[in-house]
Amino acid sequence: MYEREWPEEGELVVCTVVDVKDFAAFVTLDEYDERRGLIPISEIARGWIKHIRDYVREGQKVVCKVLNVDPDRGHIDLSLKDVNEHQRREKIHEWKNEQKATKWVGFASEAAEVDRSVIEEAIYREYGQLYPAFEDIVATGGEAADRLKLDEPVMKALVTVAHENVKVSRVTITGHLVLTSTRPDGVNVIRRALRSAQPKVEDVEIDLIYVGAPKYRIKVTAPDYKEAEKAIEKAASAAVGVVERAGGSGKFIRKQKAG
């Protein structure tokens, strides 16, 4: 990733296994400049593990959940067992899309004869990731490129590359809900809030994924970005409203900023 040097607790990350010991597996984080992480044997799989190599091996790509990050010590604790198959497939799909988008940025920077960092900084500032920007450009017929506030030749190059490489059928955007309630029935308040964030809207899918109290990931899939943005704002507002009316607090984070 470009904006943050370290992952956040609760985040899903793509890793490469580099060393397997009897007590742990050591990995590098593909999205964070090959930073090292550790998966203790207790976080490899559920139940008793006789041979750790029955579950992980050197060179394997795995998706892990970040348990703890200590930048001062350069230490990242990870869990493999806390990631289900649906989360793994979704994360790998997202990671592969980002890899493709990284190449597309290179094509655009060469065509416009500008340093790729200029394009990357503009996209990350607006979208948080590379791939959604290319999807948005195609979905809006190129209009989304104006939001990046880049020079005209760079925008034209981005539009050309996007249309040559992206086939948009449906788009997905994500954000995070942070919901807290100190009431004795706070759990029920949060449940009502989450239910209110999943209204039935034609052609729009809204998924809520528990990250770790008090954070929930909200994912919206819609025919285009305009519909997706409208749906995610409405869903988040509904959830936050339920919690606040019950005396709690809530907020919606559209994308993760640099940490």
Short mmCIF file of all heavy atoms in Angstrom, two decimals, residues 172-238:
data_model
loop_
_atom_site.label_atom_id
_atom_site.label_comp_id
_atom_site.label_asym_id
_atom_site.label_seq_id
_atom_site.Cartn_x
_atom_site.Cartn_y
_atom_site.Cartn_z
N THR A 172 -17.83 -1.96 -6.34
CA THR A 172 -17.90 -2.18 -4.89
C THR A 172 -17.09 -1.11 -4.18
O THR A 172 -15.96 -0.81 -4.58
CB THR A 172 -17.33 -3.57 -4.53
OG1 THR A 172 -18.12 -4.58 -5.16
CG2 THR A 172 -17.34 -3.79 -3.03
N ILE A 173 -17.68 -0.54 -3.14
CA ILE A 173 -16.97 0.42 -2.31
C ILE A 173 -17.11 -0.02 -0.85
O ILE A 173 -18.04 -0.74 -0.50
CB ILE A 173 -17.49 1.86 -2.48
CG1 ILE A 173 -18.96 1.96 -2.08
CG2 ILE A 173 -17.28 2.34 -3.91
CD1 ILE A 173 -19.49 3.39 -2.10
N THR A 174 -16.17 0.41 -0.03
CA THR A 174 -16.20 0.00 1.37
C THR A 174 -15.92 1.19 2.30
O THR A 174 -15.41 2.22 1.88
CB THR A 174 -15.14 -1.08 1.66
OG1 THR A 174 -13.84 -0.55 1.37
CG2 THR A 174 -15.38 -2.32 0.83
N GLY A 175 -16.27 1.00 3.53
CA GLY A 175 -15.98 1.99 4.57
C GLY A 175 -16.09 1.28 5.91
O GLY A 175 -16.27 0.05 5.96
N HIS A 176 -15.96 2.02 6.99
CA HIS A 176 -16.06 1.42 8.32
C HIS A 176 -17.05 2.19 9.18
O HIS A 176 -17.08 3.42 9.16
CB HIS A 176 -14.70 1.39 9.01
CG HIS A 176 -13.77 0.35 8.49
ND1 HIS A 176 -12.94 0.56 7.41
CD2 HIS A 176 -13.57 -0.94 8.86
CE1 HIS A 176 -12.25 -0.54 7.15
NE2 HIS A 176 -12.61 -1.47 8.02
N LEU A 177 -17.86 1.45 9.92
CA LEU A 177 -18.74 2.02 10.93
C LEU A 177 -18.11 1.78 12.29
O LEU A 177 -17.67 0.66 12.59
CB LEU A 177 -20.11 1.35 10.88
CG LEU A 177 -21.07 1.78 9.77
CD1 LEU A 177 -22.24 0.81 9.71
CD2 LEU A 177 -21.55 3.20 10.01
N VAL A 178 -18.06 2.82 13.11
CA VAL A 178 -17.58 2.69 14.48
C VAL A 178 -18.76 3.01 15.39
O VAL A 178 -19.21 4.16 15.46
CB VAL A 178 -16.41 3.65 14.76
CG1 VAL A 178 -15.93 3.47 16.19
CG2 VAL A 178 -15.27 3.40 13.78
N LEU A 179 -19.29 1.98 16.05
CA LEU A 179 -20.52 2.11 16.84
C LEU A 179 -20.28 1.70 18.28
O LEU A 179 -19.79 0.59 18.54
CB LEU A 179 -21.63 1.24 16.24
CG LEU A 179 -21.93 1.43 14.74
CD1 LEU A 179 -22.90 0.37 14.26
CD2 LEU A 179 -22.47 2.83 14.48
N THR A 180 -20.64 2.56 19.23
CA THR A 180 -20.46 2.24 20.65
C THR A 180 -21.71 2.61 21.43
O THR A 180 -22.38 3.60 21.14
CB THR A 180 -19.25 2.98 21.26
OG1 THR A 180 -19.45 4.41 21.08
CG2 THR A 180 -17.96 2.58 20.58
N SER A 181 -22.03 1.79 22.44
CA SER A 181 -23.14 2.05 23.34
C SER A 181 -22.78 1.53 24.72
O SER A 181 -22.34 0.38 24.86
CB SER A 181 -24.42 1.37 22.84
OG SER A 181 -25.47 1.54 23.78
N THR A 182 -22.97 2.36 25.74
CA THR A 182 -22.64 1.96 27.12
C THR A 182 -23.88 1.52 27.88
O THR A 182 -23.80 1.24 29.07
CB THR A 182 -21.96 3.12 27.86
OG1 THR A 182 -22.81 4.28 27.82
CG2 THR A 182 -20.62 3.46 27.21
N ARG A 183 -25.02 1.48 27.23
CA ARG A 183 -26.25 1.05 27.89
C ARG A 183 -26.19 -0.43 28.25
O ARG A 183 -25.47 -1.21 27.61
CB ARG A 183 -27.46 1.30 26.98
CG ARG A 183 -27.87 2.75 26.93
CD ARG A 183 -29.00 3.05 26.00
NE ARG A 183 -30.00 2.01 25.81
CZ ARG A 183 -31.20 2.23 25.28
NH1 ARG A 183 -31.55 3.46 24.94
NH2 ARG A 183 -32.05 1.23 25.09
N PRO A 184 -26.94 -0.84 29.29
CA PRO A 184 -26.97 -2.27 29.66
C PRO A 184 -27.38 -3.16 28.48
O PRO A 184 -26.93 -4.30 28.36
CB PRO A 184 -28.00 -2.31 30.79
CG PRO A 184 -27.96 -0.95 31.39
CD PRO A 184 -27.72 -0.02 30.23
N ASP A 185 -28.28 -2.61 27.64
CA ASP A 185 -28.71 -3.38 26.46
C ASP A 185 -27.98 -2.91 25.21
O ASP A 185 -28.52 -2.95 24.11
CB ASP A 185 -30.22 -3.25 26.27
CG ASP A 185 -30.64 -1.80 25.97
OD1 ASP A 185 -29.87 -0.88 26.31
OD2 ASP A 185 -31.73 -1.61 25.40
N GLY A 186 -26.73 -2.48 25.39
CA GLY A 186 -25.93 -1.93 24.29
C GLY A 186 -25.78 -2.88 23.11
O GLY A 186 -25.77 -2.45 21.96
N VAL A 187 -25.70 -4.17 23.40
CA VAL A 187 -25.56 -5.16 22.32
C VAL A 187 -26.78 -5.13 21.41
O VAL A 187 -26.65 -5.18 20.18
CB VAL A 187 -25.37 -6.58 22.90
CG1 VAL A 187 -25.42 -7.62 21.79
CG2 VAL A 187 -24.05 -6.68 23.65
N ASN A 188 -27.95 -5.02 22.01
CA ASN A 188 -29.17 -4.95 21.21
C ASN A 188 -29.26 -3.66 20.41
O ASN A 188 -29.77 -3.64 19.28
CB ASN A 188 -30.40 -5.09 22.11
CG ASN A 188 -30.54 -6.49 22.69
OD1 ASN A 188 -30.15 -7.47 22.06
ND2 ASN A 188 -31.07 -6.59 23.90
N VAL A 189 -28.75 -2.56 20.99
CA VAL A 189 -28.74 -1.28 20.28
C VAL A 189 -27.88 -1.39 19.02
O VAL A 189 -28.28 -0.96 17.94
CB VAL A 189 -28.19 -0.15 21.19
CG1 VAL A 189 -27.97 1.13 20.37
CG2 VAL A 189 -29.14 0.12 22.35
N ILE A 190 -26.71 -2.01 19.17
CA ILE A 190 -25.81 -2.18 18.02
C ILE A 190 -26.45 -3.08 16.97
O ILE A 190 -26.36 -2.81 15.77
CB ILE A 190 -24.45 -2.76 18.47
CG1 ILE A 190 -23.76 -1.84 19.49
CG2 ILE A 190 -23.54 -2.99 17.26
CD1 ILE A 190 -23.48 -0.43 18.97
N ARG A 191 -27.13 -4.13 17.42
CA ARG A 191 -27.79 -5.03 16.47
C ARG A 191 -28.86 -4.29 15.67
O ARG A 191 -28.99 -4.48 14.46
CB ARG A 191 -28.42 -6.20 17.22
CG ARG A 191 -27.41 -7.26 17.68
CD ARG A 191 -28.09 -8.32 18.51
NE ARG A 191 -27.14 -9.34 18.94
CZ ARG A 191 -27.40 -10.25 19.89
NH1 ARG A 191 -28.58 -10.25 20.48
NH2 ARG A 191 -26.49 -11.14 20.22
N ARG A 192 -29.64 -3.44 16.36
CA ARG A 192 -30.67 -2.67 15.66
C ARG A 192 -30.03 -1.72 14.65
O ARG A 192 -30.54 -1.52 13.54
CB ARG A 192 -31.52 -1.87 16.66
CG ARG A 192 -32.44 -2.71 17.51
CD ARG A 192 -33.57 -1.88 18.09
NE ARG A 192 -33.08 -0.76 18.88
CZ ARG A 192 -32.77 -0.82 20.17
NH1 ARG A 192 -32.89 -1.97 20.82
NH2 ARG A 192 -32.36 0.24 20.83
N ALA A 193 -28.91 -1.13 15.06
CA ALA A 193 -28.21 -0.20 14.17
C ALA A 193 -27.72 -0.90 12.92
O ALA A 193 -27.86 -0.39 11.80
CB ALA A 193 -27.03 0.45 14.91
N LEU A 194 -27.17 -2.10 13.10
CA LEU A 194 -26.65 -2.84 11.95
C LEU A 194 -27.79 -3.30 11.02
O LEU A 194 -27.64 -3.30 9.81
CB LEU A 194 -25.84 -4.04 12.43
CG LEU A 194 -24.54 -3.70 13.19
CD1 LEU A 194 -23.89 -4.97 13.73
CD2 LEU A 194 -23.57 -2.94 12.31
N ARG A 195 -28.91 -3.67 11.62
CA ARG A 195 -30.06 -4.05 10.79
C ARG A 195 -30.55 -2.87 9.96
O ARG A 195 -30.92 -3.01 8.80
CB ARG A 195 -31.20 -4.60 11.65
CG ARG A 195 -31.00 -6.03 12.15
CD ARG A 195 -32.32 -6.65 12.59
NE ARG A 195 -32.91 -5.91 13.71
CZ ARG A 195 -32.67 -6.19 14.98
NH1 ARG A 195 -31.85 -7.18 15.30
NH2 ARG A 195 -33.25 -5.50 15.93
N SER A 196 -30.52 -1.68 10.58
CA SER A 196 -31.00 -0.49 9.87
C SER A 196 -30.07 -0.11 8.72
O SER A 196 -30.46 0.60 7.80
CB SER A 196 -31.12 0.70 10.83
OG SER A 196 -29.85 1.19 11.20
N ALA A 197 -28.82 -0.59 8.79
CA ALA A 197 -27.84 -0.28 7.74
C ALA A 197 -27.95 -1.23 6.56
O ALA A 197 -27.18 -1.13 5.61
CB ALA A 197 -26.42 -0.34 8.30
N GLN A 198 -28.91 -2.15 6.59
CA GLN A 198 -29.07 -3.11 5.50
C GLN A 198 -30.47 -3.06 4.91
O GLN A 198 -31.18 -4.07 4.86
CB GLN A 198 -28.75 -4.52 6.00
CG GLN A 198 -27.29 -4.72 6.35
CD GLN A 198 -26.99 -6.13 6.79
OE1 GLN A 198 -27.43 -6.58 7.83
NE2 GLN A 198 -26.24 -6.85 5.97
N PRO A 199 -30.90 -1.88 4.45
CA PRO A 199 -32.22 -1.79 3.82
C PRO A 199 -32.22 -2.52 2.48
O PRO A 199 -31.18 -2.68 1.85
CB PRO A 199 -32.40 -0.28 3.61
CG PRO A 199 -31.00 0.23 3.44
CD PRO A 199 -30.17 -0.61 4.37
N LYS A 200 -33.39 -2.98 2.06
CA LYS A 200 -33.49 -3.65 0.77
C LYS A 200 -33.61 -2.60 -0.33
O LYS A 200 -34.59 -1.86 -0.40
CB LYS A 200 -34.70 -4.59 0.76
CG LYS A 200 -34.53 -5.80 1.68
CD LYS A 200 -35.67 -6.78 1.53
CE LYS A 200 -35.43 -8.01 2.40
NZ LYS A 200 -36.54 -8.99 2.27
N VAL A 201 -32.58 -2.52 -1.15
CA VAL A 201 -32.56 -1.57 -2.26
C VAL A 201 -32.33 -2.35 -3.54
O VAL A 201 -31.41 -3.17 -3.62
CB VAL A 201 -31.43 -0.52 -2.08
CG1 VAL A 201 -31.46 0.47 -3.23
CG2 VAL A 201 -31.58 0.19 -0.74
N GLU A 202 -33.13 -2.10 -4.54
CA GLU A 202 -33.02 -2.83 -5.80
C GLU A 202 -31.65 -2.63 -6.44
O GLU A 202 -31.16 -1.51 -6.53
CB GLU A 202 -34.12 -2.37 -6.77
CG GLU A 202 -34.21 -3.23 -8.02
CD GLU A 202 -35.37 -2.83 -8.92
OE1 GLU A 202 -36.18 -1.98 -8.49
OE2 GLU A 202 -35.45 -3.37 -10.02
N ASP A 203 -31.02 -3.72 -6.85
CA ASP A 203 -29.72 -3.71 -7.54
C ASP A 203 -28.56 -3.30 -6.65
O ASP A 203 -27.46 -3.05 -7.14
CB ASP A 203 -29.75 -2.79 -8.77
CG ASP A 203 -30.24 -3.51 -10.01
OD1 ASP A 203 -30.32 -4.75 -9.95
OD2 ASP A 203 -30.52 -2.85 -11.00
N VAL A 204 -28.77 -3.20 -5.34
CA VAL A 204 -27.70 -2.81 -4.42
C VAL A 204 -27.55 -3.88 -3.35
O VAL A 204 -28.52 -4.29 -2.73
CB VAL A 204 -27.98 -1.45 -3.76
CG1 VAL A 204 -26.91 -1.12 -2.71
CG2 VAL A 204 -28.04 -0.34 -4.81
N GLU A 205 -26.30 -4.33 -3.13
CA GLU A 205 -26.00 -5.30 -2.08
C GLU A 205 -25.20 -4.62 -0.98
O GLU A 205 -24.21 -3.94 -1.25
CB GLU A 205 -25.20 -6.47 -2.64
CG GLU A 205 -25.91 -7.26 -3.73
CD GLU A 205 -24.99 -8.26 -4.41
OE1 GLU A 205 -23.95 -8.60 -3.81
OE2 GLU A 205 -25.29 -8.67 -5.54
N ILE A 206 -25.64 -4.80 0.26
CA ILE A 206 -24.95 -4.20 1.40
C ILE A 206 -24.54 -5.31 2.36
O ILE A 206 -25.39 -6.06 2.85
CB ILE A 206 -25.84 -3.18 2.14
CG1 ILE A 206 -26.26 -2.06 1.19
CG2 ILE A 206 -25.11 -2.60 3.35
CD1 ILE A 206 -27.22 -1.05 1.79
N ASP A 207 -23.24 -5.44 2.60
CA ASP A 207 -22.71 -6.45 3.52
C ASP A 207 -22.02 -5.76 4.69
O ASP A 207 -21.28 -4.78 4.50
CB ASP A 207 -21.71 -7.36 2.80
CG ASP A 207 -22.37 -8.23 1.75
OD1 ASP A 207 -23.45 -8.77 2.03
OD2 ASP A 207 -21.81 -8.35 0.65
N LEU A 208 -22.25 -6.29 5.88
CA LEU A 208 -21.58 -5.78 7.08
C LEU A 208 -20.69 -6.89 7.64
O LEU A 208 -21.15 -8.02 7.83
CB LEU A 208 -22.60 -5.34 8.12
CG LEU A 208 -23.38 -4.07 7.76
CD1 LEU A 208 -24.58 -3.91 8.66
CD2 LEU A 208 -22.48 -2.85 7.86
N ILE A 209 -19.44 -6.57 7.87
CA ILE A 209 -18.46 -7.55 8.33
C ILE A 209 -17.87 -7.08 9.65
O ILE A 209 -17.34 -5.97 9.75
CB ILE A 209 -17.34 -7.74 7.29
CG1 ILE A 209 -17.94 -8.17 5.95
CG2 ILE A 209 -16.30 -8.76 7.77
CD1 ILE A 209 -17.02 -7.99 4.77
N TYR A 210 -17.97 -7.92 10.67
CA TYR A 210 -17.43 -7.58 11.99
C TYR A 210 -15.91 -7.59 11.93
O TYR A 210 -15.29 -8.59 11.57
CB TYR A 210 -17.92 -8.60 13.02
CG TYR A 210 -17.35 -8.38 14.41
CD1 TYR A 210 -17.75 -7.30 15.18
CD2 TYR A 210 -16.43 -9.27 14.94
CE1 TYR A 210 -17.25 -7.10 16.45
CE2 TYR A 210 -15.92 -9.09 16.21
CZ TYR A 210 -16.34 -8.00 16.97
OH TYR A 210 -15.82 -7.81 18.22
N VAL A 211 -15.29 -6.46 12.26
CA VAL A 211 -13.83 -6.35 12.26
C VAL A 211 -13.29 -6.58 13.66
O VAL A 211 -12.31 -7.27 13.89
CB VAL A 211 -13.39 -4.96 11.73
CG1 VAL A 211 -11.87 -4.82 11.85
CG2 VAL A 211 -13.82 -4.78 10.29
N GLY A 212 -13.94 -5.97 14.63
CA GLY A 212 -13.51 -6.03 16.03
C GLY A 212 -14.11 -4.82 16.72
O GLY A 212 -13.93 -3.70 16.26
N ALA A 213 -14.83 -5.08 17.83
CA ALA A 213 -15.54 -3.99 18.50
C ALA A 213 -14.62 -2.79 18.73
O ALA A 213 -13.49 -2.96 19.17
CB ALA A 213 -16.10 -4.49 19.83
N PRO A 214 -15.11 -1.59 18.38
CA PRO A 214 -16.47 -1.26 17.93
C PRO A 214 -16.57 -1.07 16.41
O PRO A 214 -17.40 -0.32 15.94
CB PRO A 214 -16.73 0.07 18.64
CG PRO A 214 -15.37 0.74 18.60
CD PRO A 214 -14.35 -0.37 18.73
N LYS A 215 -15.67 -1.70 15.64
CA LYS A 215 -15.58 -1.41 14.21
C LYS A 215 -16.24 -2.50 13.36
O LYS A 215 -16.06 -3.70 13.60
CB LYS A 215 -14.12 -1.25 13.79
CG LYS A 215 -13.94 -0.80 12.34
CD LYS A 215 -12.47 -0.73 11.97
CE LYS A 215 -11.77 0.46 12.58
NZ LYS A 215 -10.38 0.60 12.07
N TYR A 216 -17.00 -2.04 12.35
CA TYR A 216 -17.65 -2.94 11.39
C TYR A 216 -17.35 -2.42 9.99
O TYR A 216 -17.44 -1.22 9.72
CB TYR A 216 -19.16 -2.97 11.61
CG TYR A 216 -19.55 -3.43 12.99
CD1 TYR A 216 -19.55 -2.53 14.06
CD2 TYR A 216 -19.88 -4.75 13.24
CE1 TYR A 216 -19.88 -2.94 15.34
CE2 TYR A 216 -20.21 -5.18 14.51
CZ TYR A 216 -20.21 -4.27 15.56
OH TYR A 216 -20.52 -4.69 16.83
N ARG A 217 -16.99 -3.34 9.10
CA ARG A 217 -16.74 -2.96 7.72
C ARG A 217 -18.04 -3.01 6.95
O ARG A 217 -18.80 -3.98 7.07
CB ARG A 217 -15.72 -3.92 7.10
CG ARG A 217 -15.29 -3.52 5.68
CD ARG A 217 -14.24 -4.48 5.17
NE ARG A 217 -13.74 -4.09 3.87
CZ ARG A 217 -13.48 -4.95 2.89
NH1 ARG A 217 -13.69 -6.23 3.06
NH2 ARG A 217 -13.01 -4.53 1.73
N ILE A 218 -18.34 -1.97 6.20
CA ILE A 218 -19.54 -1.93 5.39
C ILE A 218 -19.14 -1.94 3.92
O ILE A 218 -18.30 -1.15 3.49
CB ILE A 218 -20.41 -0.69 5.73
CG1 ILE A 218 -21.69 -0.67 4.88
CG2 ILE A 218 -19.64 0.60 5.61
CD1 ILE A 218 -22.71 0.35 5.35
N LYS A 219 -19.69 -2.89 3.18
CA LYS A 219 -19.36 -3.06 1.77
C LYS A 219 -20.63 -2.95 0.94
O LYS A 219 -21.62 -3.62 1.21
CB LYS A 219 -18.70 -4.42 1.52
CG LYS A 219 -18.23 -4.62 0.08
CD LYS A 219 -17.62 -5.99 -0.13
CE LYS A 219 -18.67 -7.06 -0.21
NZ LYS A 219 -18.16 -8.36 -0.70
N VAL A 220 -20.58 -2.08 -0.06
CA VAL A 220 -21.75 -1.87 -0.92
C VAL A 220 -21.38 -2.18 -2.37
O VAL A 220 -20.36 -1.69 -2.88
CB VAL A 220 -22.25 -0.41 -0.83
CG1 VAL A 220 -23.34 -0.15 -1.86
CG2 VAL A 220 -22.78 -0.13 0.57
N THR A 221 -22.19 -3.01 -3.02
CA THR A 221 -22.00 -3.33 -4.43
C THR A 221 -23.23 -2.84 -5.19
O THR A 221 -24.36 -3.13 -4.82
CB THR A 221 -21.86 -4.85 -4.63
OG1 THR A 221 -20.75 -5.32 -3.84
CG2 THR A 221 -21.59 -5.19 -6.09
N ALA A 222 -22.97 -2.06 -6.26
CA ALA A 222 -24.06 -1.44 -7.01
C ALA A 222 -23.69 -1.34 -8.48
O ALA A 222 -22.54 -1.59 -8.86
CB ALA A 222 -24.35 -0.05 -6.43
N PRO A 223 -24.64 -0.96 -9.34
CA PRO A 223 -24.35 -0.87 -10.77
C PRO A 223 -23.30 0.19 -11.12
O PRO A 223 -22.58 0.05 -12.12
CB PRO A 223 -25.71 -0.50 -11.39
CG PRO A 223 -26.71 -0.98 -10.40
CD PRO A 223 -26.07 -0.77 -9.06
N ASP A 224 -23.20 1.26 -10.33
CA ASP A 224 -22.22 2.30 -10.62
C ASP A 224 -21.85 3.00 -9.32
O ASP A 224 -22.47 2.78 -8.27
CB ASP A 224 -22.75 3.31 -11.65
CG ASP A 224 -24.06 3.94 -11.22
OD1 ASP A 224 -24.11 4.51 -10.11
OD2 ASP A 224 -25.05 3.86 -11.98
N TYR A 225 -20.82 3.85 -9.40
CA TYR A 225 -20.31 4.49 -8.19
C TYR A 225 -21.31 5.48 -7.59
O TYR A 225 -21.38 5.64 -6.37
CB TYR A 225 -18.97 5.19 -8.48
CG TYR A 225 -17.81 4.28 -8.25
CD1 TYR A 225 -17.18 3.63 -9.32
CD2 TYR A 225 -17.35 4.00 -6.98
CE1 TYR A 225 -16.14 2.76 -9.12
CE2 TYR A 225 -16.30 3.13 -6.75
CZ TYR A 225 -15.69 2.52 -7.82
OH TYR A 225 -14.66 1.64 -7.61
N LYS A 226 -22.07 6.14 -8.43
CA LYS A 226 -23.04 7.10 -7.92
C LYS A 226 -24.05 6.41 -7.01
O LYS A 226 -24.34 6.88 -5.90
CB LYS A 226 -23.75 7.79 -9.08
CG LYS A 226 -24.70 8.90 -8.65
CD LYS A 226 -25.31 9.59 -9.86
CE LYS A 226 -26.27 10.70 -9.41
NZ LYS A 226 -26.88 11.39 -10.57
N GLU A 227 -24.58 5.27 -7.48
CA GLU A 227 -25.54 4.51 -6.68
C GLU A 227 -24.89 3.95 -5.43
O GLU A 227 -25.49 3.92 -4.35
CB GLU A 227 -26.13 3.37 -7.52
CG GLU A 227 -27.14 3.80 -8.56
CD GLU A 227 -28.39 4.38 -7.93
OE1 GLU A 227 -28.86 3.83 -6.91
OE2 GLU A 227 -28.91 5.39 -8.44
N ALA A 228 -23.64 3.47 -5.57
CA ALA A 228 -22.94 2.88 -4.43
C ALA A 228 -22.68 3.92 -3.35
O ALA A 228 -22.89 3.67 -2.15
CB ALA A 228 -21.62 2.27 -4.90
N GLU A 229 -22.22 5.11 -3.75
CA GLU A 229 -21.95 6.17 -2.78
C GLU A 229 -23.23 6.59 -2.07
O GLU A 229 -23.24 6.81 -0.85
CB GLU A 229 -21.32 7.37 -3.48
CG GLU A 229 -19.90 7.16 -3.98
CD GLU A 229 -18.87 7.16 -2.86
OE1 GLU A 229 -19.27 7.37 -1.69
OE2 GLU A 229 -17.69 6.96 -3.14
N LYS A 230 -24.30 6.70 -2.82
CA LYS A 230 -25.58 7.09 -2.24
C LYS A 230 -26.04 6.05 -1.22
O LYS A 230 -26.51 6.39 -0.12
CB LYS A 230 -26.62 7.23 -3.36
CG LYS A 230 -28.00 7.63 -2.90
CD LYS A 230 -28.96 7.73 -4.09
CE LYS A 230 -30.38 8.05 -3.64
NZ LYS A 230 -31.31 8.11 -4.80
N ALA A 231 -25.90 4.77 -1.57
CA ALA A 231 -26.35 3.69 -0.69
C ALA A 231 -25.51 3.59 0.58
O ALA A 231 -26.05 3.39 1.67
CB ALA A 231 -26.32 2.36 -1.45
N ILE A 232 -24.19 3.74 0.44
CA ILE A 232 -23.33 3.58 1.62
C ILE A 232 -23.53 4.74 2.60
O ILE A 232 -23.54 4.57 3.82
CB ILE A 232 -21.85 3.44 1.21
CG1 ILE A 232 -21.05 2.77 2.36
CG2 ILE A 232 -21.21 4.78 0.86
CD1 ILE A 232 -19.65 2.37 1.97
N GLU A 233 -23.74 5.93 2.07
CA GLU A 233 -23.99 7.09 2.94
C GLU A 233 -25.32 6.93 3.67
O GLU A 233 -25.43 7.22 4.87
CB GLU A 233 -24.00 8.38 2.10
CG GLU A 233 -22.65 8.78 1.53
CD GLU A 233 -21.69 9.29 2.60
OE1 GLU A 233 -22.15 9.56 3.74
OE2 GLU A 233 -20.49 9.42 2.30
N LYS A 234 -26.35 6.46 2.95
CA LYS A 234 -27.66 6.28 3.56
C LYS A 234 -27.62 5.19 4.63
O LYS A 234 -28.19 5.35 5.72
CB LYS A 234 -28.67 5.92 2.47
CG LYS A 234 -30.10 5.82 2.98
CD LYS A 234 -31.07 5.55 1.83
CE LYS A 234 -32.51 5.48 2.32
NZ LYS A 234 -33.45 5.24 1.19
N ALA A 235 -26.94 4.08 4.32
CA ALA A 235 -26.85 2.96 5.27
C ALA A 235 -26.09 3.38 6.52
O ALA A 235 -26.50 3.08 7.65
CB ALA A 235 -26.18 1.77 4.60
N ALA A 236 -24.97 4.07 6.33
CA ALA A 236 -24.16 4.50 7.47
C ALA A 236 -24.92 5.50 8.33
O ALA A 236 -24.89 5.43 9.57
CB ALA A 236 -22.86 5.12 6.97
N SER A 237 -25.61 6.41 7.68
CA SER A 237 -26.37 7.42 8.41
C SER A 237 -27.46 6.78 9.26
O SER A 237 -27.72 7.18 10.40
CB SER A 237 -26.99 8.42 7.42
OG SER A 237 -27.77 9.37 8.10
N ALA A 238 -28.10 5.75 8.71
CA ALA A 238 -29.16 5.06 9.43
C ALA A 238 -28.61 4.37 10.68
O ALA A 238 -29.20 4.47 11.77
CB ALA A 238 -29.83 4.02 8.52
#
